[in-house]
């Protein structure tokens, strides 16, 4: 909904609505959103971006691990011919 509002050309809106949309976009753009949870943690845009990056990295690592495990399970087992000979 916010993207639709920001994508709307201001010329198509009446003057009062256009002014409010401009003010809203200025506040969102220039004033950072921060929530202080009783001094325990400050939730901000930076925390959201860092959390998204961490979650994405975790998912990629899990996907690679799953691919490695599934490839290992389907690989043929080594035969005695493939193993090095024992020293006498």
């Amino acid at each position: 909904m916010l993207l639709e509002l920001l994508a709307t050309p201001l010329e198509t809106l009446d003057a009062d609505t256009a002014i409010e949309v401009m003010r809203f976009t200025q506040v969102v753009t220039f004033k950072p959103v921060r929530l202080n949870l009783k001094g325990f943690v400050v939730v901000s845009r930076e925390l959201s971006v860092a959390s998204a990056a961490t979650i994405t990295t975790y998912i990629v690592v899990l996907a690679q691990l799953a691919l490695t495990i599934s490839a290992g399970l389907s690989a043929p087992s080594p035969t005695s011919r493939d193993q090095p000979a024992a020293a006498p």
Side-chain angles (χ1 to χ4, degrees):
M1 183 170 169
L2 178 61
L3 293 176
E4 292 175 16
L5 176 65
L6 296 176
T8 304
L10 295 179
E11 299 83 30
T12 61
L13 303 173
D14 64 288
D16 291 335
T17 305
I19 291 171
E20 288 298 318
V21 169
M22 287 186 339
R23 287 181 184 163
F24 176 75
T25 55
Q26 287 174 347
V27 167
V28 169
T29 303
F30 297 115
K31 194 168 189 172
V33 177
R34 296 181 66 166
L35 298 172
N36 188 351
L37 303 176
K38 297 279 186 181
F40 179 68
V41 67
V42 176
V43 179
S44 64
R45 185 176 295 150
E46 291 83 14
L47 180 63
S48 301
V49 171
S51 297
T54 301
I55 291 168
T56 302
T57 302
Y58 184 72
I59 289 172
V60 168
V61 169
L62 284 179
Q64 290 176 342
L65 180 64
L67 288 174
T68 303
I69 290 173
S70 68
L73 294 177
S74 64
S77 60
T79 61
S80 59
R81 182 173 48 117
D82 295 334
Q83 297 178 0

